[in-house]
Amino acid sequence: MADGSDTNMTAGPTATAQASSGLVAGIRAFAAGHGGAKAVIEYVGKRGARIVLVGGDGEWADQFADATDVARQACAKAGVEVENEWERELMDQMRPSNDLWRSMGRRSLAR
């Protein structure tokens, strides 16, 4: 029989984080200004979660939340549908701005 602990590590009780009113207001304002919106939530490690918002007109923006559950809660409060992943239709809807194209053109690829 191998020596070792037979106990399981369990996470302690976690405090339920609340979505800030500023985050909800920002998501709601983007959706109102762009004919509705859909969101994709991406986990970005210790920083939390990135909420990528894609407007009905093709414009996009992002917001940051403390955690993925906070991001989902903020989107729900703002009335924005959350997509589970990047679907082709959603990506085809995105329209990068001219400023973004210019900034991507200035970057050089390192080998």
Side-chain angles (χ1 to χ4, degrees):
M1 184 177 242
D3 291 333
S5 173
D6 63 348
T7 60
N8 293 329
M9 291 187 63
T10 58
T14 58
T16 304
Q18 295 291 322
S20 70
S21 60
L23 178 61
V24 174
I27 295 170
R28 193 175 285 147
F30 179 85
H34 296 281
K38 291 186 178 182
V40 176
I41 298 172
E42 300 172 339
Y43 174 72
V44 289
K46 289 183 180 181
R47 175 135 191 228
R50 177 183 184 205
I51 306 168
V52 182
L53 300 165
V54 181
D57 60 357
E59 293 293 320
W60 62 278
D62 57 0
Q63 300 273 338
F64 281 90
D66 293 334
T68 55
D69 58 339
V70 174
R72 288 189 182 281
Q73 183 183 53
C75 289
K77 285 184 179 180
V80 171
E81 179 184 350
V82 176
E83 297 287 327
N84 289 329
E85 59 185 30
W86 285 104
E87 296 288 337
R88 181 182 184 131
E89 293 81 17
L90 186 61
M91 291 183 71
D92 287 345
Q93 184 179 345
M94 291 178 74
R95 212 180 50 222
S97 68
N98 289 336
D99 292 336
L100 180 62
W101 283 116
R102 276 193 292 275
S103 73
M104 288 189 294
R106 286 192 296 265
R107 295 182 185 155
S108 62
L109 298 175
R111 292 185 180 197

